[in-house]
Structure formats: C-alpha cells, structure tokens
Amino acid sequence: MSDRTLTASGYPDSYYAATALPVPAQPALVGEATCDVCIIGGGYTGLSSALHLAERGYDVVLLEAQRLGWGASGRNGGHLGSGQRKDQDALEEAYGRSLARVMWDMAEEAKQLSKDLIAKHAIACDYMPGTMNAAIKPDHAEWERRHTEKLRRDYSFEDRRFLDKDEIGAILGTDIYYGGWIEQESGHVHPLNFALGLAQAALKTGVRMYERSPVLGYDQADPTTVRTADGSVRARFVVLACNGYLGRLESRVAGKIMPINNYVLTTAPMDEGRARSIIANGAAVHDSKFVVDYYRFTPDHRFVFGGGESYTRRFPRDIKSFVRKRMLRVFPQLADVPIDYAWGGTLAITLNRLPHFGRLEPNVFFAHGYSGHGLAYATYAGQLIAEAVAGTAERFYVMANLRVPSFPGGTLLRWPGLVAGMLYYALRDRL
C-alpha cells in the first residue's frame, strides 16, 4: 500500500480513516483570495495555527494539498507524551540547565494544550490517560530509573514513576522488558479525529480552508502571493506547516529536515479480557529501542501497533506482514488475531531530533521536524506561531533560536548518510 491506496473519502485506507469524524470536505481553491495569514498545510501545525490566529481576530486561509489531517497528523500512533524528543540530560549538556528547564516547561505546556483543546472544543478523539516506557535492556532500565529520579528532584515532575522488571511484567503481557516508567497525566488519542476536531473548531472560528489545493510556490514580496494550480492567495503572512511534505517548496529550510516513513497496523477487536492480558491498565506504550515500537488499545479493544521505518519514498509492498513481524516478537500470543488495517505515513526528523522553528524574510513563519514527537508539540507550535505573528514572540524564539544543523549534503545527499546511521542503530537494537 502507498499514498495512492486511498478510500473514497480521499484518505489512505486505515483504521483512523474508517472511524473518522464526519467533517465536510472543503472545496479546492479557484480564483483569487486575500487574507491576513495564509497557512500551507492542514496537519496539526497548520490547523492549530489557523485556530489560534482566528481566535486572535486574524483573517486566515488554509491550503491543504490533499485532505485535512491527511499526512502524519492522521496516521501516527496517537501518543500524547511528556518532554522534548531529547531527554533532559542531553538538553542540559547542549544548552545548560536553565534553558533545558524552559524547554521542559514548554513541553509540559504543549501536552496540557492538547488536553485543553480536546476539552474546550469537545473533540471526540477517544482520549485515554496513561503512557508507559518499556526498557529492552538492563542498562536502559537503569538509565530510566536514574532519569525518573532526576525529573522528580530537579524538575518537580511527580507524575512519572519507575517500574522494575516485575512491575512492568505484571502490566504487559510479555517478559522481554527489564523495567520502564509510567505516567498518568499523559495519554493517547485517535490522531486523525484530533486533527479533524481542530479543523472543526477553526472552521467555526471563520477560517477558510481549501483541500486538494497543492501550493506550487510563493514570492518573497510583502504582501506575499501564494500560488496553486487554479488560484492564488495574497497574504501579509505565510505559515509553512508542511513537515514531511515540504518537498521543494522552500529550499532555505528543506535541508534541516529528512522525510522518513513509519508504519502502523490495527488488529480486529478482541474481547476485553484478552486486551487486558496484553496491557492491563490501558496505557499507551513505547519501548527504548532507537527504532521505536509503540502500541496501545482503542476503546473497542483493537490493538494498534507501530514500528519499523523505511528511508525511500516507497512503502513496503505488504505493510501488514512488515509490522506484524515486529508485533509478534513482542507478543507472539497474538499470532491468531486478524490484522484489519495497516498503513504507512511520512514524518520529518531533524539531525538533532529537536523541532526546527523559524522566520524567513520578509514574513514567513515555519515549524517542522518533530521527529516522531509531534502530536503535542506540533499543536503547540501553532499556538507559538500565532503569538509570533501577533508580535509576542518570546516563546516562539526559544525554539527558533536553537541551532538545528543541516543534514550533510543537503537535500541531495542526506539519504545515504541517514540510511547508514539508521541501519547501525537498528543493528544495535537487535543486539
């Protein structure tokens, strides 16, 4: 299956698309439009930017090349977690304790923002509390124990509790883990419905949205003209919210990110007892491998399992088998459970795994490269972009001032180095 395997609704065939909220399709852009802010991309970053800008009184147009939430925002594992993609030890070493603390606090704000938006707009995205980390090696477990203690001591973060091998074995139906941690204030959602709920809220606030309107380019004038095949938008500000689908639209930042593919399956529903034998507490789980396995249950007891990556533009021919092999290494007792859906999605990573924020002259804002940690932080990015457009940019520039290195070789030569590096870490995972 690839992005060309679409349902009648225009979304890739997935459990999420099959259970999506009934948000009406938006028209394609035809003709000319004017606005204060033109947003390119209809995922979490774009939808959150649109909502927060409209709430501030800005006239907003959003352009989406496919359908709202069509990309990684509608295909991911649905985990709403704590912290940045990099741990606090690494952030303190790179930026000092003071800035690392600010980044931790911002990540906590990001997590809370998503939960607040779900409550404020009554988004029916099946939010369920609880996340867990599962350590695949003894030294990983020991590191998680020390890091949990550090967060409690230095960051006053009491929600995370360390689990030893016996405790995690009592929760998860596998004996491969050596420990980990659990949080109750984090959680998991139906990611496409979270995106569509943001879209519904933004539409009610007056945002004009156009689907199936890929952007061909824009000029660097002020105001800017954004071009599609059948129309154009004249705007004072532009927001690039394309993430893994940026392509060649903006060469000035494309070399900071790398599109990669990740894969997910969903089983047929199980009875509640069997589901609880796999995850007794209903939490979402991710492990400590470099190429992460992550999994959770839906409210109707379907098992959602994600894992495995590829670094070309093509998806595997048989995604079900590709991901099922990873699932059965952890839970061989699920060999008899049918797989109802399997799909892939494209996300963007950065070289240092921190998101890349910035402003291009004269009036273009962007945020991308969430590196698999985007549900909370991409939504938060939209709020920070709205603040920056409105002239209150302190929090936006905390992130924009972080140095995010370019991939060696730029967009042409970044693939070989990444593939070599990822194969190395995948081998380490296996050993």
Side-chain angles (χ1 to χ4, degrees):
M1 189 188 78
S2 71
D3 283 347
R4 295 187 178 88
T5 308
L6 304 178
T7 64
S9 66
Y11 288 96
D13 187 22
S14 71
Y15 168 75
Y16 299 144
T19 54
L21 293 174
V23 177
Q26 303 301 304
L29 177 66
V30 177
E32 298 179 355
T34 60
C35 62
D36 296 323
V37 187
C38 179
I39 297 170
I40 304 172
Y44 298 141
T45 305
L47 293 168
S48 178
S49 297
L51 175 59
H52 286 100
L53 284 162
E55 289 178 336
R56 288 174 172 267
Y58 287 86
D59 181 20
V60 180
V61 166
L62 184 148
L63 302 174
E64 164 55 44
Q66 301 289 343
R67 300 293 314 277
L68 300 172
W70 185 87
S73 296
R75 310 191 203 184
N76 64 80
H79 294 217
L80 180 65
S82 300
Q84 302 282 348
R85 178 65 173 81
K86 298 286 283 186
D87 63 75
Q88 292 308 115
D89 285 343
L91 295 179
E92 288 181 6
E93 181 178 354
Y95 303 109
R97 177 171 288 190
S98 178
L99 182 53
R101 177 60 194 249
V102 171
M103 294 171 71
W104 172 266
D105 290 343
M106 292 176 71
E108 285 298 283
E109 291 174 9
K111 181 175 66 178
Q112 188 61 47
L113 174 65
S114 294
K115 295 195 291 184
D116 290 346
L117 289 170
I118 291 168
K120 177 180 178 180
H121 299 290
I123 300 176
C125 62
D126 300 332
Y127 175 78
M128 298 172 68
T131 60
M132 295 174 58
N133 167 270
I136 63 164
K137 298 178 181 179
D139 60 323
H140 292 189
E142 176 58 22
W143 187 92
E144 296 294 0
R145 183 190 63 77
R146 293 196 307 268
H147 196 247
T148 298
E149 292 174 355
K150 175 186 179 65
L151 292 179
R152 287 175 170 266
R153 181 184 66 248
D154 298 342
Y155 291 83
S156 302
F157 186 63
E158 301 291 332
D159 186 41
R160 183 173 296 184
R161 183 174 68 85
F162 178 73
L163 303 172
D164 63 23
K165 183 174 178 61
D166 290 339
E167 288 178 296
I168 202 166
I171 298 171
L172 303 178
T174 179
D175 62 0
I176 70 170
Y177 300 127
Y178 291 88
W181 51 253
I182 185 169
E183 295 177 6
Q184 295 299 331
E185 296 300 320
S186 301
H188 50 105
V189 301
H190 185 304
L192 177 57
N193 281 345
F194 178 61
L196 294 176
L198 293 177
Q200 287 179 319
L203 287 165
K204 290 177 182 177
T205 314
V207 176
R208 288 172 284 164
M209 297 189 182
Y210 298 96
E211 296 181 307
R212 306 182 193 280
S213 301
V215 170
L216 303 179
Y218 60 91
D219 59 38
Q220 295 181 25
D222 186 4
T224 297
T225 299
V226 181
R227 297 177 290 104
T228 69
D230 298 309
S232 64
V233 180
R234 188 173 174 82
R236 293 166 51 205
F237 300 96
V238 173
V239 175
L240 295 177
C242 309
N243 203 38
Y245 296 90
L246 179 66
R248 299 179 179 177
L249 181 61
E250 182 47 83
S251 61
R252 290 176 288 177
V253 299
K256 301 288 187 178
I257 59 173
M258 170 76 76
I260 67 171
N261 302 321
N262 195 262
Y263 305 98
V264 187
L265 63 75
T266 305
T267 70
M270 305 179 199
D271 64 71
E272 183 175 4
R274 188 168 192 187
R276 294 297 181 186
S277 74
I278 301 298
I279 307 177
N281 60 2
V285 184
H286 65 278
D287 69 15
S288 63
K289 291 199 291 286
F290 189 84
V291 181
V292 177
D293 287 338
Y294 51 92
Y295 47 88
R296 64 188 184 91
F297 276 96
T298 64
D300 62 346
H301 309 308
R302 294 176 182 270
F303 194 46
V304 180
F305 187 97
E309 294 176 348
S310 65
Y311 315 111
T312 68
R313 299 188 184 280
R314 293 184 178 182
F315 292 172
R317 288 181 177 273
D318 187 351
I319 296 177
K320 286 185 179 181
S321 296
F322 181 78
V323 185
R324 184 174 179 270
K325 289 177 183 177
R326 296 182 70 97
M327 180 183 75
L328 294 182
R329 290 182 195 135
V330 185
F331 299 106
Q333 66 269 43
L334 296 182
D336 64 319
V337 178
I339 309 301
D340 281 357
Y341 301 93
W343 64 93
T346 301
L347 63 147
I349 63 172
T350 61
L351 200 59
N352 66 357
R353 299 304 189 267
L354 291 175
H356 183 216
F357 284 56
R359 181 175 185 175
L360 301 171
E361 294 296 336
N363 51 8
V364 178
F365 292 86
F366 64 87
H368 54 192
Y370 304 104
S371 302
H373 202 61
L375 197 157
Y377 223 81
T379 304
Y380 187 53
Q383 184 183 62
L384 301 191
I385 288 169
E387 291 175 3
V389 170
T392 306
E394 289 86 351
R395 296 198 299 174
F396 178 84
Y397 278 106
V398 168
M399 300 304 299
N401 287 336
L402 298 177
R403 181 180 176 274
V404 175
S406 298
F407 280 89
T411 57
L412 293 178
L413 300 177
R414 60 189 173 181
W415 295 95
L418 176 75
V419 170
M422 298 301 280
L423 290 175
Y424 165 75
Y425 282 108
L427 179 61
R428 284 184 56 182
D429 286 343
R430 293 190 183 99
L431 296 177

